[in-house]
Coordinates of all heavy atoms in Angstrom, one line a residue:
M1 N -58.3 41.9 67.0 CA -58.2 42.2 68.4 C -57.6 41.0 69.1 O -56.8 41.2 70.0 CB -59.6 42.5 68.9 CG -59.5 42.9 70.3 SD -61.0 43.7 71.0 CE -62.3 42.5 70.6
I2 N -58.0 39.8 68.8 CA -57.4 38.6 69.5 C -55.9 38.5 69.3 O -55.2 38.2 70.2 CB -58.1 37.3 69.0 CG1 -59.6 37.4 69.3 CG2 -57.5 36.1 69.6 CD1 -60.0 37.4 70.8
G3 N -55.5 38.8 68.1 CA -54.1 38.8 67.8 C -53.3 39.7 68.6 O -52.2 39.4 69.1
S4 N -53.8 40.9 68.8 CA -53.2 41.9 69.7 C -53.1 41.4 71.1 O -52.1 41.6 71.8 CB -54.0 43.2 69.6 OG -53.4 44.2 70.5
Y5 N -54.2 40.8 71.6 CA -54.3 40.3 72.9 C -53.2 39.2 73.1 O -52.4 39.2 74.1 CB -55.6 39.7 73.2 CG -55.7 39.0 74.6 CD1 -55.8 39.8 75.7 CD2 -55.7 37.6 74.7 CE1 -55.9 39.1 77.0 CE2 -55.8 37.0 75.9 CZ -55.9 37.8 77.0 OH -55.9 37.2 78.3
L6 N -53.1 38.3 72.2 CA -52.1 37.2 72.3 C -50.7 37.8 72.2 O -49.8 37.4 73.0 CB -52.3 36.2 71.2 CG -53.5 35.3 71.3 CD1 -53.7 34.5 70.1 CD2 -53.5 34.5 72.6
E7 N -50.4 38.8 71.3 CA -49.1 39.4 71.2 C -48.7 40.1 72.6 O -47.6 39.9 73.1 CB -49.1 40.4 70.1 CG -47.8 41.1 70.0 CD -47.8 42.2 68.9 OE1 -48.9 42.4 68.2 OE2 -46.8 42.9 68.7
Q8 N -49.7 40.8 73.2 CA -49.4 41.4 74.5 C -49.1 40.4 75.6 O -48.3 40.6 76.4 CB -50.5 42.3 74.9 CG -50.7 43.6 74.0 CD -49.5 44.5 74.1 OE1 -48.9 44.7 75.2 NE2 -49.1 45.0 73.0
S9 N -49.9 39.3 75.5 CA -49.7 38.2 76.5 C -48.3 37.6 76.4 O -47.6 37.4 77.4 CB -50.7 37.1 76.3 OG -52.0 37.6 76.6
F10 N -47.9 37.3 75.1 CA -46.5 36.8 75.0 C -45.4 37.7 75.4 O -44.4 37.3 76.0 CB -46.3 36.3 73.5 CG -47.0 35.1 73.2 CD1 -47.9 35.0 72.1 CD2 -46.9 33.9 73.9 CE1 -48.6 33.8 71.8 CE2 -47.5 32.7 73.6 CZ -48.4 32.7 72.5
K11 N -45.6 39.0 75.1 CA -44.6 40.0 75.5 C -44.6 40.1 77.0 O -43.5 40.2 77.6 CB -45.0 41.4 74.9 CG -44.7 41.6 73.5 CD -45.1 42.9 73.0 CE -44.8 43.1 71.5 NZ -45.2 44.5 71.0
L12 N -45.7 40.0 77.7 CA -45.8 40.1 79.1 C -45.1 38.8 79.7 O -44.3 38.9 80.6 CB -47.2 40.1 79.6 CG -47.4 40.1 81.1 CD1 -46.8 41.4 81.7 CD2 -48.9 40.1 81.4
F13 N -45.3 37.7 79.1 CA -44.7 36.4 79.6 C -43.2 36.5 79.4 O -42.4 36.2 80.4 CB -45.2 35.3 78.8 CG -44.6 34.0 79.1 CD1 -44.9 33.3 80.3 CD2 -43.7 33.4 78.3 CE1 -44.3 32.1 80.7 CE2 -43.1 32.2 78.6 CZ -43.4 31.5 79.8
A14 N -42.7 37.0 78.3 CA -41.2 37.1 78.0 C -40.6 38.1 79.0 O -39.5 37.8 79.6 CB -41.0 37.5 76.6
S15 N -41.3 39.2 79.2 CA -40.8 40.2 80.2 C -40.7 39.6 81.6 O -39.7 39.9 82.3 CB -41.7 41.4 80.1 OG -41.4 42.3 81.1
H16 N -41.7 38.9 81.9 CA -41.8 38.3 83.3 C -40.6 37.3 83.4 O -39.9 37.3 84.5 CB -43.1 37.6 83.5 CG -43.3 37.1 84.8 ND1 -43.0 35.8 85.2 CD2 -43.8 37.7 85.9 CE1 -43.3 35.7 86.5 NE2 -43.8 36.8 86.9
Q17 N -40.4 36.5 82.5 CA -39.3 35.5 82.5 C -37.9 36.3 82.7 O -37.1 35.9 83.5 CB -39.2 34.6 81.3 CG -40.2 33.5 81.4 CD -39.9 32.5 80.3 OE1 -39.6 32.9 79.2 NE2 -40.0 31.2 80.6
R18 N -37.7 37.3 81.8 CA -36.5 38.1 81.9 C -36.3 38.7 83.2 O -35.2 38.6 83.8 CB -36.5 39.1 80.8 CG -35.2 39.9 80.6 CD -35.2 40.9 79.4 NE -36.4 41.7 79.4 CZ -37.5 41.5 78.5 NH1 -37.4 40.6 77.6 NH2 -38.5 42.3 78.5
D19 N -37.3 39.3 83.8 CA -37.2 39.9 85.1 C -36.9 38.9 86.2 O -36.1 39.2 87.1 CB -38.6 40.7 85.5 CG -38.8 41.9 84.7 OD1 -37.8 42.4 84.0 OD2 -39.9 42.5 84.7
T20 N -37.5 37.7 86.1 CA -37.3 36.7 87.1 C -35.8 36.2 87.0 O -35.2 36.1 88.1 CB -38.2 35.5 86.8 OG1 -39.6 35.9 86.8 CG2 -38.0 34.4 87.8
R21 N -35.3 36.0 85.9 CA -33.9 35.6 85.8 C -32.9 36.7 86.3 O -32.0 36.4 87.1 CB -33.5 35.3 84.3 CG -34.0 34.0 83.8 CD -33.4 33.7 82.4 NE -34.4 32.9 81.7 CZ -35.1 33.4 80.6 NH1 -34.8 34.5 80.1 NH2 -36.0 32.6 80.0
E22 N -33.2 38.0 85.9 CA -32.3 39.0 86.4 C -32.4 39.2 87.9 O -31.3 39.4 88.5 CB -32.7 40.3 85.7 CG -32.3 40.3 84.2 CD -32.8 41.5 83.5 OE1 -33.4 42.4 84.1 OE2 -32.7 41.6 82.2
R23 N -33.6 39.2 88.4 CA -33.7 39.4 89.9 C -33.2 38.2 90.7 O -32.7 38.4 91.8 CB -35.1 39.7 90.2 CG -35.5 41.1 89.8 CD -36.9 41.5 90.3 NE -37.2 42.8 89.9 CZ -38.3 43.4 90.2 NH1 -39.2 42.9 91.0 NH2 -38.6 44.6 89.7
G24 N -33.4 37.0 90.1 CA -32.9 35.8 90.8 C -31.4 35.8 90.9 O -30.9 35.3 91.9
K25 N -30.7 36.4 90.0 CA -29.3 36.5 90.0 C -28.8 37.5 91.0 O -27.8 37.3 91.7 CB -28.7 36.8 88.6 CG -28.9 35.8 87.6 CD -28.4 36.2 86.3 CE -28.6 35.2 85.2 NZ -28.2 35.7 83.8
S26 N -29.5 38.6 91.1 CA -29.0 39.7 92.0 C -29.6 39.6 93.4 O -28.9 40.1 94.3 CB -29.3 41.0 91.4 OG -30.7 41.2 91.3
D27 N -30.8 39.1 93.6 CA -31.4 39.1 94.9 C -31.3 37.7 95.6 O -31.3 36.7 94.9 CB -32.9 39.5 94.8 CG -33.1 40.9 94.4 OD1 -32.1 41.7 94.5 OD2 -34.2 41.3 94.0
G28 N -31.2 37.7 96.9 CA -31.1 36.5 97.6 C -32.5 36.0 98.0 O -32.6 34.8 98.2
D29 N -33.5 36.8 98.2 CA -34.8 36.5 98.7 C -35.7 36.2 97.5 O -36.4 37.0 97.0 CB -35.3 37.6 99.6 CG -36.6 37.2 100.3 OD1 -37.0 36.0 100.2 OD2 -37.2 38.0 100.9
A30 N -35.7 34.9 97.2 CA -36.5 34.5 96.0 C -38.0 34.7 96.2 O -38.7 35.1 95.3 CB -36.2 33.0 95.7
L31 N -38.5 34.5 97.4 CA -40.0 34.7 97.7 C -40.4 36.1 97.4 O -41.4 36.4 96.8 CB -40.3 34.2 99.1 CG -41.8 34.3 99.5 CD1 -42.6 33.4 98.5 CD2 -41.9 33.8 100.9
Q32 N -39.6 37.0 97.9 CA -39.9 38.5 97.8 C -39.8 38.8 96.3 O -40.7 39.6 95.8 CB -39.0 39.3 98.6 CG -39.4 40.8 98.5 CD -38.6 41.6 99.5 OE1 -37.9 41.1 100.3 NE2 -38.8 42.9 99.4
V33 N -38.9 38.3 95.6 CA -38.7 38.6 94.1 C -40.0 38.1 93.4 O -40.5 38.8 92.6 CB -37.5 37.9 93.6 CG1 -37.4 38.0 92.1 CG2 -36.2 38.6 94.1
M34 N -40.4 36.9 93.7 CA -41.6 36.3 93.0 C -42.8 37.1 93.4 O -43.7 37.3 92.5 CB -41.7 34.8 93.4 CG -40.6 34.0 92.8 SD -40.4 34.1 91.0 CE -41.9 33.4 90.5
A35 N -43.0 37.5 94.6 CA -44.1 38.3 95.0 C -44.2 39.6 94.3 O -45.2 40.1 93.8 CB -44.2 38.5 96.5
S36 N -43.0 40.3 94.1 CA -42.9 41.6 93.4 C -43.3 41.4 92.0 O -44.0 42.2 91.4 CB -41.5 42.1 93.6 OG -41.4 43.3 92.8
L37 N -42.7 40.3 91.4 CA -43.0 40.1 89.9 C -44.5 39.7 89.7 O -45.1 40.1 88.7 CB -42.1 39.0 89.4 CG -40.6 39.4 89.2 CD1 -39.8 38.1 88.9 CD2 -40.5 40.4 88.2
A38 N -45.0 39.0 90.6 CA -46.5 38.6 90.5 C -47.3 39.8 90.6 O -48.3 40.0 89.8 CB -46.9 37.6 91.6
Q39 N -47.0 40.8 91.5 CA -47.8 42.0 91.6 C -47.6 42.8 90.3 O -48.6 43.4 89.8 CB -47.3 42.8 92.8 CG -48.1 44.1 93.0 CD -49.5 43.9 93.3 OE1 -49.9 42.9 93.9 NE2 -50.4 44.8 92.9
K40 N -46.4 42.9 89.8 CA -46.2 43.7 88.5 C -46.9 43.0 87.4 O -47.6 43.7 86.5 CB -44.7 43.8 88.2 CG -44.4 44.7 87.0 CD -42.9 44.5 86.6 CE -42.0 45.4 87.5 NZ -40.6 45.3 86.9
N41 N -46.9 41.7 87.3 CA -47.6 41.0 86.3 C -49.1 41.2 86.3 O -49.7 41.4 85.3 CB -47.2 39.5 86.4 CG -47.7 38.7 85.2 OD1 -47.9 39.2 84.1 ND2 -48.0 37.4 85.5
Y42 N -49.6 41.2 87.5 CA -51.1 41.4 87.7 C -51.5 42.8 87.2 O -52.5 42.9 86.6 CB -51.4 41.2 89.2 CG -52.9 41.4 89.5 CD1 -53.9 40.6 89.0 CD2 -53.3 42.6 90.1 CE1 -55.2 40.8 89.3 CE2 -54.6 42.9 90.4 CZ -55.6 42.0 89.9 OH -56.9 42.2 90.2
Q43 N -50.7 43.8 87.6 CA -51.0 45.1 87.1 C -51.0 45.2 85.6 O -51.8 45.9 85.0 CB -50.0 46.1 87.8 CG -50.2 46.3 89.3 CD -49.1 47.1 89.9 OE1 -48.1 47.3 89.3 NE2 -49.3 47.4 91.2
R44 N -50.0 44.6 85.0 CA -49.9 44.6 83.5 C -51.1 43.9 82.9 O -51.7 44.4 81.9 CB -48.7 44.0 83.0 CG -47.4 44.8 83.3 CD -46.2 44.0 82.9 NE -45.0 44.7 83.2 CZ -43.8 44.2 83.2 NH1 -43.6 42.9 82.8 NH2 -42.7 44.9 83.5
W45 N -51.5 42.8 83.5 CA -52.6 42.0 83.0 C -53.9 42.8 83.1 O -54.7 42.9 82.2 CB -52.7 40.7 83.8 CG -53.9 39.9 83.4 CD1 -54.0 39.0 82.3 CD2 -55.2 39.8 84.1 NE1 -55.2 38.4 82.3 CE2 -56.0 38.9 83.3 CE3 -55.7 40.4 85.2 CZ2 -57.3 38.6 83.7 CZ3 -57.0 40.1 85.6 CH2 -57.8 39.2 84.8
R46 N -54.1 43.5 84.3 CA -55.3 44.3 84.5 C -55.4 45.4 83.4 O -56.4 45.7 82.9 CB -55.3 45.0 85.8 CG -55.6 44.0 87.0 CD -57.0 43.8 87.2 NE -57.7 45.0 87.3 CZ -58.9 45.2 87.8 NH1 -59.5 44.1 88.3 NH2 -59.5 46.3 87.9
S47 N -54.2 46.0 83.1 CA -54.2 47.1 82.1 C -54.6 46.6 80.8 O -55.4 47.3 80.1 CB -52.7 47.7 82.1 OG -52.6 48.6 81.0
V48 N -54.1 45.4 80.4 CA -54.5 44.9 79.1 C -56.0 44.5 79.1 O -56.7 44.8 78.1 CB -53.7 43.6 78.8 CG1 -54.2 42.9 77.6 CG2 -52.2 44.0 78.5
Q49 N -56.5 44.0 80.2 CA -57.9 43.6 80.2 C -58.8 44.9 80.1 O -59.8 44.9 79.5 CB -58.2 42.9 81.5 CG -57.6 41.5 81.6 CD -58.0 40.6 80.5 OE1 -59.2 40.5 80.3 NE2 -57.1 40.0 79.8
E50 N -58.4 45.9 80.8 CA -59.2 47.2 80.7 C -59.2 47.8 79.3 O -60.2 48.3 78.9 CB -58.6 48.2 81.7 CG -58.9 47.8 83.2 CD -58.2 48.7 84.2 OE1 -57.4 49.6 83.8 OE2 -58.3 48.4 85.4
E51 N -58.0 47.7 78.6 CA -57.9 48.1 77.3 C -58.9 47.3 76.4 O -59.6 47.9 75.5 CB -56.5 48.0 76.7 CG -56.3 48.6 75.3 CD -54.9 48.5 74.9 OE1 -54.0 48.4 75.7 OE2 -54.7 48.4 73.6
I52 N -58.9 46.0 76.5 CA -59.8 45.2 75.7 C -61.3 45.5 76.0 O -62.1 45.7 75.1 CB -59.5 43.7 76.0 CG1 -58.2 43.3 75.4 CG2 -60.6 42.8 75.4 CD1 -57.7 41.9 75.8
Y53 N -61.6 45.7 77.3 CA -63.0 46.1 77.7 C -63.4 47.4 77.0 O -64.5 47.5 76.5 CB -63.1 46.2 79.2 CG -64.4 46.6 79.7 CD1 -65.5 45.7 79.7 CD2 -64.7 47.9 80.1 CE1 -66.7 46.0 80.1 CE2 -65.9 48.2 80.6 CZ -67.0 47.3 80.5 OH -68.2 47.7 81.0
R54 N -62.5 48.4 77.1 CA -62.8 49.7 76.5 C -63.1 49.5 75.0 O -64.0 50.1 74.4 CB -61.7 50.7 76.8 CG -61.8 51.3 78.1 CD -60.8 52.5 78.2 NE -59.5 52.2 77.9 CZ -58.5 51.8 78.7 NH1 -58.8 51.6 80.0 NH2 -57.3 51.6 78.3
T55 N -62.2 48.7 74.3 CA -62.4 48.5 72.9 C -63.7 47.9 72.6 O -64.4 48.3 71.6 CB -61.2 47.7 72.4 OG1 -60.0 48.3 72.7 CG2 -61.3 47.4 70.9
L56 N -64.1 46.9 73.3 CA -65.4 46.2 73.1 C -66.5 47.1 73.4 O -67.5 47.1 72.6 CB -65.5 45.0 74.0 CG -64.5 43.8 73.6 CD1 -64.6 42.7 74.7 CD2 -64.8 43.3 72.3
V57 N -66.5 47.9 74.4 CA -67.6 48.9 74.7 C -67.7 49.9 73.6 O -68.8 50.2 73.2 CB -67.3 49.5 76.1 CG1 -68.3 50.7 76.3 CG2 -67.5 48.5 77.2
N58 N -66.5 50.4 73.2 CA -66.6 51.4 72.1 C -67.1 50.8 70.8 O -67.9 51.5 70.1 CB -65.2 52.0 71.9 CG -64.7 52.9 73.0 OD1 -65.5 53.4 73.7 ND2 -63.4 53.1 73.1
A59 N -66.8 49.6 70.5 CA -67.3 48.9 69.3 C -68.8 48.7 69.5 O -69.6 48.9 68.5 CB -66.6 47.6 69.1
A60 N -69.3 48.3 70.6 CA -70.7 48.1 70.9 C -71.5 49.4 70.8 O -72.5 49.5 70.2 CB -71.0 47.5 72.2
N61 N -70.9 50.5 71.3 CA -71.5 51.8 71.3 C -71.6 52.3 69.8 O -72.6 52.9 69.4 CB -70.8 52.8 72.2 CG -71.1 52.6 73.6 OD1 -72.1 51.9 74.0 ND2 -70.2 53.0 74.5
G62 N -70.5 52.0 69.1 CA -70.5 52.4 67.7 C -71.6 51.7 66.9 O -72.3 52.3 66.0
S63 N -71.8 50.4 67.2 CA -72.9 49.7 66.5 C -74.2 50.2 66.8 O -75.1 50.3 66.0 CB -72.8 48.2 66.9 OG -71.6 47.6 66.5
R64 N -74.4 50.6 68.1 CA -75.7 51.2 68.5 C -76.0 52.5 67.8 O -77.1 52.8 67.3 CB -75.8 51.4 70.0 CG -75.9 50.1 70.7 CD -76.1 50.4 72.2 NE -75.9 49.1 72.9 CZ -75.2 48.9 74.0 NH1 -74.5 50.0 74.6 NH2 -75.0 47.8 74.6
R65 N -74.9 53.3 67.7 CA -75.1 54.6 67.0 C -75.4 54.4 65.5 O -76.2 55.1 64.9 CB -73.8 55.5 67.1 CG -73.7 56.2 68.4 CD -72.6 57.2 68.4 NE -71.3 56.6 68.3 CZ -70.5 56.3 69.3 NH1 -70.9 56.5 70.5 NH2 -69.3 55.7 69.1
D66 N -74.7 53.4 64.9 CA -75.0 53.1 63.5 C -76.5 52.7 63.3 O -77.1 53.1 62.4 CB -74.1 52.0 63.0 CG -72.6 52.5 62.8 OD1 -72.4 53.8 62.9 OD2 -71.7 51.7 62.7
S67 N -76.9 51.9 64.2 CA -78.3 51.4 64.1 C -79.3 52.5 64.4 O -80.3 52.6 63.7 CB -78.6 50.3 65.2 OG -77.8 49.2 64.9
A68 N -79.0 53.4 65.3 CA -79.9 54.6 65.6 C -79.9 55.5 64.4 O -81.0 56.0 64.0 CB -79.4 55.3 66.8
S69 N -78.8 55.7 63.7 CA -78.8 56.6 62.5 C -79.6 56.0 61.4 O -80.2 56.7 60.6 CB -77.4 57.0 62.1 OG -76.7 55.8 61.6
E70 N -79.6 54.7 61.3 CA -80.4 54.0 60.2 C -81.9 54.2 60.5 O -82.7 54.4 59.6 CB -80.0 52.6 60.1 CG -78.7 52.3 59.4 CD -78.3 50.8 59.4 OE1 -79.2 50.0 59.7 OE2 -77.2 50.5 59.0
D71 N -82.2 54.1 61.8 CA -83.6 54.3 62.2 C -84.1 55.7 61.9 O -85.2 56.0 61.4 CB -83.8 54.1 63.7 CG -83.7 52.6 64.0 OD1 -83.8 51.8 63.1 OD2 -83.6 52.3 65.2
D72 N -83.2 56.7 62.1 CA -83.5 58.1 61.9 C -83.6 58.4 60.4 O -84.3 59.3 60.0 CB -82.5 59.0 62.5 CG -82.5 59.0 64.0 OD1 -83.5 58.5 64.6 OD2 -81.5 59.4 64.6
S73 N -83.0 57.6 59.5 CA -83.0 57.9 58.1 C -84.3 57.4 57.4 O -84.5 57.6 56.3 CB -81.8 57.2 57.5 OG -81.9 55.8 57.5
G74 N -85.1 56.7 58.2 CA -86.3 56.2 57.6 C -86.3 54.8 57.1 O -87.3 54.3 56.6
E75 N -85.1 54.2 57.0 CA -85.0 52.9 56.5 C -85.5 51.9 57.6 O -85.3 52.1 58.8 CB -83.5 52.5 56.2 CG -82.9 53.4 55.1 CD -81.5 53.0 54.8 OE1 -81.0 51.9 55.2 OE2 -80.8 53.9 54.3
A76 N -86.2 50.9 57.1 CA -86.7 49.9 58.0 C -85.6 49.0 58.5 O -84.7 48.6 57.7 CB -87.8 49.0 57.3
R77 N -85.6 48.7 59.8 CA -84.6 47.7 60.3 C -85.2 46.3 60.3 O -86.4 46.1 60.5 CB -84.4 48.1 61.8 CG -83.5 49.3 61.9 CD -83.2 49.5 63.4 NE -82.5 48.4 64.0 CZ -82.5 48.3 65.3 NH1 -83.0 49.2 66.1 NH2 -81.9 47.2 65.9
P78 N -84.4 45.4 59.9 CA -84.9 44.0 59.9 C -85.2 43.5 61.3 O -84.6 44.0 62.3 CB -83.7 43.2 59.3 CG -82.5 44.1 59.3 CD -83.0 45.5 59.5
P79 N -86.2 42.6 61.5 CA -86.6 42.1 62.8 C -85.5 41.3 63.5 O -84.6 40.8 62.9 CB -87.8 41.3 62.6 CG -87.9 41.1 61.1 CD -87.0 42.0 60.4

């Protein structure tokens, strides 16, 4: 999971750099370009964070279900 997070982060960084270069060449208002890119970058970052959170919650819920099914099977759980 960490590898996927890092990969997405590097892709986002490269995309951000590419967008900055392209917009810097075509637009004259650098402040507006940077504000737009910052907003887009933030939205992408939030999306990745939400995906990681869902993955962790699903993994935790899966662990709880596994533990509950072991309790139902009559096997003793370690303290």
